[in-house]
Amino acid sequence: MGEMVVSKALFYAVALVAVVLGNALAASSASENSQVKIWPMPASVSYGDARLYLTSDFRFSSNRESQILKDAFNRMLSVIKQDHVIDANFSDFNRSSLLQGLHIVVASPNEQLQYGTDESYKLMVPSPEKPGYAHLEAKTVYGALHGLQTFSQLCNFSIRRRVLEVLMSPWTIIDQPRFPYRGLLIDTSRHYLPMTVIKKVIDSMSYAKLNVLHWHIVDTQSFPLEIPSYPKLWDGAYSPSERYSAADSAEVVSYAKKRGINVLAEIDVPGHALSWGVGYPSLWPSKDCQQPLDVSNEFTFKVVDGILSDFSKIFNFKFVHLGGDEVNTTCWTTTPRISKWLRRHRMNESQAYQYFVLRAQKIALSHGYEIVNWEETFNDFGSKLSRKTVVHNWLGGGVAQRVVESGLRCIVSNQDRWYLDHLDTPWQEFYINEPLTNITNSKQQKLVIGGEVCMWGETVDGSDIEQTIWPRAAAAAERLWTPYDKLAKNPREVTGRLAHFRCLLNQRGVAAAPLAGSGRTAPFGPGSCYEQ
């Protein structure tokens, strides 16, 4: 035990040295953006050396009457103030250095959020035409939301002058994401996450410009979601207080939309579904062999259809996730009536697995969804999958390459680099994970729609989820947002900037862990936030 303490102390000491060295390297970098602290790094940035100050009545104006924009502007003001008291005497300031407001021009009145919605924006601080104002323009309100996030990172509170200031003005930032899908998975089956926690996670995602919350709602351990078509399903929840009503799930979707985030709902079938049978035992192969779902029972598919019918009224994202991973079919072959059904239909267990997945896909298609499935479905019977399938890579390398070569789309979440529950994977590994590895054909590259970091819930709940997600998820967020040629070739080059973003998250009430050490680590001792 004593040796473990010594080695752990040595580990953290080495980690501290790495951070300090990384900061030194970042500070001495010859990069044109070495002074820029924005995370993720925008596509194009220019700046000067002037200083501007936000007036006490800094205001919002727009060519669109948009409640989404108004609310986002007010949230932005709140986070940049950080609860400081702004009591500067503005009569002491040069009028030409004052910013009176932000004018936002949005080209499209359409506020529907969907996969592929334009997220580009252009930000000028100050506006060349109206120097007393910052100017933000975007094709959609959701591009404008990203512009507001960037503007918030240009602002900081001056403790000396008691005012919000913008350094390095004038700024011109032209920006758009590299990938249209930039996701974070949360798991509410292994541990229930209160609504307040889910909303805080959504807020923090918006700070890093992630745009898909993959909600792995149910699994073997619990079924916390109300399904009106089959009201006994949530009998599989841990307790009556650890449940989400249909109205709660609609609130999550609404809350996320106002922050530019889609919600991808998942039911993982046919495996990972033991909890379904608590309310409906006939979904189990038998009382003693309880998953995967009973492939021989028509009621099973009626329940899947009912769930997806209810989903379609709440989860309006283009995609639904049907899981399909880690299916152990032993219960099918060892349960006599299912074994008999398999023989009658001339299926072996692997063919029954294929039958179940493809039938679930058809049900999802009938409700207007395109489908995401975990990669085992592709590995086992990829040519049979609907052409509207997105294959979700998680097991290892080379899968994305094979998927796009087959003409299907792919989301990358390889577990060795982008699984947040792997606490021994440091942020540097998250940063260097490249979704297009060995994919050189431009048409095939476009079939990789993006990537996702996965916060599986076995060891996280409301007490530790934020520090397990951040700052490592931010490293992946830059990989998915920033143009490839703007990404650092060596993670050490961005250590200082990521440390700055981690401290910014802390200032905004997000419990992001230090960069030093592994995931979810605690501070190793006294010191500045920017050096841990």
Side-chain angles (χ1 to χ4, degrees), residues 275-338:
S275 63
W276 298 36
V278 175
Y280 295 97
S282 63
L283 294 171
W284 288 335
S286 71
K287 188 176 71 171
D288 300 317
C289 212
Q290 299 171 328
Q291 65 181 6
L293 295 168
D294 185 350
V295 67
S296 71
N297 190 346
E298 280 301 303
F299 179 64
T300 299
F301 297 98
K302 286 181 180 178
V303 172
V304 170
D305 182 64
I307 292 171
L308 293 177
S309 175
D310 289 351
F311 272 19
S312 68
K313 300 175 180 69
I314 295 171
F315 298 105
N316 50 19
F317 193 32
K318 178 178 182 176
F319 303 107
V320 69
H321 205 305
L322 296 179
D325 62 313
E326 297 181 319
V327 180
N328 181 340
T329 55
T330 302
C331 285
W332 290 347
T333 54
T334 58
T335 303
R337 62 179 177 78
I338 300 178

Side-chain angles (χ1 to χ4, degrees), residues 412-489:
V412 173
S413 293
N414 46 311
Q415 63 175 334
D416 57 327
R417 296 276 176 83
W418 276 0
Y419 266 31
L420 291 157
D421 56 311
H422 291 199
L423 299 180
D424 56 348
T425 305
W427 71 264
Q428 293 91 337
E429 294 292 314
F430 279 78
Y431 191 87
I432 64 174
N433 192 43
E434 174 49 49
L436 299 185
T437 298
N438 296 327
I439 302 171
T440 55
N441 180 288
S442 60
K443 288 184 179 178
Q444 292 177 5
Q445 287 179 341
K446 290 176 182 175
L447 293 175
V448 179
I449 65 173
E452 176 180 294
V453 289
C454 298
M455 186 63 273
W456 295 108
E458 284 86 351
T459 66
V460 297
D461 61 12
S463 71
D464 62 357
I465 188 169
E466 289 183 334
Q467 56 265 51
T468 315
I469 292 173
W470 307 106
R472 293 180 301 159
E478 177 152 297
R479 174 66 52 172
L480 293 167
W481 178 275
T482 302
Y484 182 78
D485 60 359
K486 295 278 185 180
L487 291 166
K489 301 301 178 276

Side-chain angles (χ1 to χ4, degrees), residues 505-525:
L505 290 175
N506 283 178
Q507 290 160 8
R508 294 179 178 185
V510 179
L515 270 64
S518 55
R520 200 199 294 160
T521 190
F524 42 75

Side-chain angles (χ1 to χ4, degrees), residues 243-257:
R243 288 173 168 173
Y244 309 101
S245 68
D248 288 337
S249 55
E251 170 63 15
V252 169
V253 171
S254 173
Y255 190 89
K257 178 188 176 183

Side-chain angles (χ1 to χ4, degrees), residues 107-370:
S108 172
N110 184 356
E111 293 191 346
Q112 180 186 13
L113 178 64
Q114 194 46 265
Y115 170 77
T117 293
D118 191 290
E119 299 176 274
S120 63
Y121 68 91
K122 181 178 181 180
L123 176 64
M124 292 175 286
V125 187
S127 164
E129 286 79 27
K130 296 181 71 176
Y133 287 80
H135 182 84
L136 171 61
E137 56 189 60
K139 292 180 181 177
T140 70
V141 66
Y142 301 106
L145 293 186
H146 292 314
L148 282 170
Q149 290 297 343
T150 298
F151 180 79
S152 77
Q153 292 192 37
L154 302 183
C155 302
N156 66 278
F157 179 75
S158 169
I159 198 73
R160 184 175 67 86
R161 306 199 72 167
R162 308 291 197 273
V163 67
L164 295 171
E165 63 182 7
V166 176
L167 305 179
M168 298 164 53
S169 166
W171 290 89
T172 299
I173 297 172
I174 302 171
D175 203 10
Q176 63 183 31
R178 181 183 176 204
F179 291 101
Y181 184 109
R182 306 177 306 283
L184 167 67
L185 177 148
I186 60 170
D187 171 4
T188 57
S189 175
R190 275 55 179 253
H191 281 98
Y192 176 83
L193 297 175
M195 288 285 287
T196 51
V197 172
I198 294 175
K199 287 182 172 181
K200 280 197 74 179
V201 169
I202 290 169
D203 285 334
S204 63
M205 289 174 65
S206 70
Y207 302 150
K209 299 186 174 74
L210 294 174
N211 72 342
V212 179
L213 177 71
H214 175 178
W215 191 359
H216 187 87
I217 308 172
V218 303
D219 208 292
T220 297
Q221 291 81 2
S222 74
F223 197 116
L225 182 66
E226 179 185 24
I227 301 295
S229 295
Y230 290 92
K232 292 182 181 178
L233 280 171
W234 73 351
D235 290 358
Y238 286 126
S239 71
S241 64
E242 293 171 293
R243 288 173 168 173
Y244 309 101
S245 68
D248 288 337
S249 55
E251 170 63 15
V252 169
V253 171
S254 173
Y255 190 89
K257 178 188 176 183
K258 292 171 185 175
R259 288 148 182 81
I261 295 170
N262 283 296
V263 178
L264 171 66
E266 179 180 359
I267 55 165
D268 196 346
V269 295
H272 291 275
L274 182 150
S275 63
W276 298 36
V278 175
Y280 295 97
S282 63
L283 294 171
W284 288 335
S286 71
K287 188 176 71 171
D288 300 317
C289 212
Q290 299 171 328
Q291 65 181 6
L293 295 168
D294 185 350
V295 67
S296 71
N297 190 346
E298 280 301 303
F299 179 64
T300 299
F301 297 98
K302 286 181 180 178
V303 172
V304 170
D305 182 64
I307 292 171
L308 293 177
S309 175
D310 289 351
F311 272 19
S312 68
K313 300 175 180 69
I314 295 171
F315 298 105
N316 50 19
F317 193 32
K318 178 178 182 176
F319 303 107
V320 69
H321 205 305
L322 296 179
D325 62 313
E326 297 181 319
V327 180
N328 181 340
T329 55
T330 302
C331 285
W332 290 347
T333 54
T334 58
T335 303
R337 62 179 177 78
I338 300 178
S339 179
K340 183 178 178 181
W341 181 90
L342 290 174
R343 288 195 301 273
R344 189 166 69 248
H345 289 82
R346 297 180 180 178
M347 289 186 202
N348 59 32
E349 53 194 293
S350 62
Q351 289 168 328
Y353 166 48
Q354 175 183 312
Y355 165 79
F356 195 113
V357 168
L358 297 184
R359 188 164 174 187
Q361 285 201 336
K362 287 178 183 176
I363 294 169
L365 290 167
S366 75
H367 290 289
Y369 284 117
E370 295 186 21

Side-chain angles (χ1 to χ4, degrees), residues 352-395:
Y353 166 48
Q354 175 183 312
Y355 165 79
F356 195 113
V357 168
L358 297 184
R359 188 164 174 187
Q361 285 201 336
K362 287 178 183 176
I363 294 169
L365 290 167
S366 75
H367 290 289
Y369 284 117
E370 295 186 21
I371 306 132
V372 184
N373 274 115
W374 293 109
E375 72 170 70
E376 287 96 325
T377 59
F378 174 80
N379 295 339
D380 287 9
F381 46 89
S383 64
K384 302 290 180 61
L385 294 172
S386 164
R387 302 310 289 173
K388 291 187 176 182
T389 302
V390 180
V391 177
H392 198 162
N393 159 231
W394 73 279
L395 281 170

